[in-house]
Amino acid sequence: MNLRDKLKALESGKPAPSAPKPPPKAWHCWHTSATLPLSEFPDAFSVSRDTVMLMQGDEMPRPFDPRRILYLDTETTGLGGGAGTVAFEVGLGYLTDSGFVVHQYLMRDYPEERDLLENVMAVVNRFDVLCTFNGRTFDLPLLRTRLIMNRLSPAGLDKPHIDLLHIARRVWKLRLKRCNLSRLEECILGIPREHDLPGALVPERFFNYLKSGDFTLFDEVLEHNQQDIASLCTLLAHMVQYYERPEDVIHEEDVFSMGVALERMHHPEEARRCYRLASVGCMKVAGQMRLAGCLRRSGERQQACRVWEDMVRRREGGTAPMIELAKYYEHTARDIPAALDITQKALSLLAEPGLYEDDAGCAMKEDLLRRYDRLRRKIRKP
């Protein structure tokens, strides 16, 4: 419509016909998939429901099939969460009889986010269990927020969830101190990463892509994400083997930590098994003390007493088993002379020069002196 036609339309009082609107642009996210050989995932099919519940403490579906576990990991525009953080890439992996399949969905611009979320949830809804690394705190809350903001239902995320970070910390933090995924890959799985993109640099790659349009910026991000997904499956299978065969675990610290975790999950029989296995080497004293404490808490006080007596006989654990024996003799066995005798031995040990001279040692000595005075008064009573 030229200018003359527009002027004639204005003079006639009729509105000028508007130009036809362009059709809405279809914003489809980018997608790729790969199938990794099953030889890279030993024991992945042997993951059992009972052992997962032993590790996790949460109820798992029945029947339980490792093929129905979906491994999930996100790459985001920020590491601290918050309303402005977006999962620009989501990796999903699962076992099949022919290999381990990894799907990766990536948004190249913000309008593609809705399509990414729809594709991700279409896969999520096909599985019974989710498995992540710190997903309980980060990945799933972030996806839930983005789904709601895009007017999509997050109901598919409400299913049993295995968070490997918390399980790994319970078992390996004592020995490894740090339990991020790359350290576990190197120290536990024996597959160190080479030339891997640090997670802190991932958000920068997305924003640089928005400026330059250079898709190769995502190459290392996708490689990093695929390795994360594959490691989740390998790590879960490895941890299941730990819990099912603690006698094969090399490091006493790991077996001891597993016992502590099992006891906190209210599995005393399994915990005592680990404490007995850990009662050698550097964890001998700690393992014996935890074993005796577990027996006492289960009501098996005489068995706990025998453990403490053996430790005192072997001169292990310093005053700790002596103090426990004093409590047992006084309050359970009602043997005041025996309680007084072991208390005197503990005080004699505390009096040795160079030992127990810190604040904790002084507090322990004061407590033993009060116990000694109380026992003396009891033994004088007719």
Side-chain angles (χ1 to χ4, degrees), residues 41-52:
F41 304 90
D43 303 314
F45 286 100
S46 62
V47 173
S48 68
R49 176 179 182 269
D50 292 341
T51 308
V52 171

Side-chain angles (χ1 to χ4, degrees), residues 118-264:
E118 289 175 343
N119 278 279
V120 167
M121 293 308 296
V123 179
V124 168
N125 290 329
R126 290 162 33 202
F127 290 85
D128 299 334
V129 180
L130 295 176
C131 181
T132 67
F133 195 85
N134 197 30
R136 194 182 297 273
T137 304
F138 186 76
D139 299 82
L140 295 194
L142 174 62
L143 287 175
R144 191 180 304 276
T145 299
R146 300 312 305 175
L147 285 163
I148 293 171
M149 294 187 73
N150 282 272
R151 299 184 179 181
L152 297 171
S153 172
L157 300 177
D158 298 327
K159 57 184 63 183
H161 179 198
I162 305 170
D163 193 330
L164 293 179
L165 173 62
H166 303 289
I167 304 174
R169 280 178 174 169
R170 295 182 198 124
V171 177
W172 290 304
K173 188 175 181 180
L174 178 64
R175 179 166 64 93
L176 300 182
K177 311 308 179 191
R178 290 187 300 107
C179 289
N180 56 315
L181 187 55
S182 60
R183 182 160 176 78
L184 294 177
E185 287 172 345
E186 180 178 357
C187 300
I188 304 300
L189 303 180
I191 45 174
R193 299 196 189 193
E194 297 181 359
H195 313 296
D196 181 55
L197 177 69
L201 299 181
V202 169
E204 181 183 339
R205 292 296 178 96
F206 176 73
F207 293 115
N208 286 342
Y209 168 78
L210 292 182
K211 296 175 184 177
S212 65
D214 181 8
F215 195 83
T216 60
L217 290 167
F218 289 134
D219 289 348
E220 290 182 312
V221 176
L222 294 166
E223 184 179 349
H224 170 91
N225 179 259
Q226 185 183 92
Q227 180 62 56
D228 283 352
I229 295 293
S231 293
L232 292 180
C233 182
T234 308
L235 185 61
L236 175 61
H238 191 84
M239 297 180 83
V240 166
Q241 296 300 313
Y242 251 60
Y243 274 84
E244 291 181 348
R245 295 199 295 269
E247 61 276 2
D248 295 340
V249 178
I250 298 173
H251 300 280
E252 296 91 358
E253 302 98 314
D254 299 348
V255 186
F256 173 81
S257 298
M258 205 164 18
V260 174
L262 286 165
E263 188 177 359
R264 288 175 179 170

Side-chain angles (χ1 to χ4, degrees), residues 52-125:
V52 171
M53 290 176 59
L54 202 68
M55 300 187 305
Q56 177 81 5
D58 297 338
E59 188 70 22
M60 289 290 145
R62 190 190 298 272
F64 184 90
D65 187 348
R67 299 170 187 82
R68 304 288 297 167
I69 302 174
L70 182 66
Y71 301 89
L72 182 149
D73 185 60
T74 64
E75 306 300 337
T76 63
T77 59
L79 302 177
T85 303
V86 175
F88 72 87
E89 194 272 339
V90 180
L92 306 168
Y94 51 89
L95 282 168
T96 68
D97 293 331
S98 56
F100 185 78
V101 179
V102 178
H103 289 280
Q104 293 174 293
Y105 298 93
L106 184 146
M107 70 175 207
R108 292 156 294 188
D109 206 344
Y110 288 97
E112 295 183 359
E113 182 187 19
R114 183 183 177 88
D115 185 64
L116 178 145
L117 294 171
E118 289 175 343
N119 278 279
V120 167
M121 293 308 296
V123 179
V124 168
N125 290 329

Side-chain angles (χ1 to χ4, degrees), residues 316-324 345-347 349-350 356 364 368:
E316 295 172 351
T319 61
M322 295 179 179
I323 292 172
E324 295 299 330
K345 290 179 180 178
L347 285 168
L349 184 59
L350 283 174
Y356 306 102
M364 190 187 305
L368 281 169

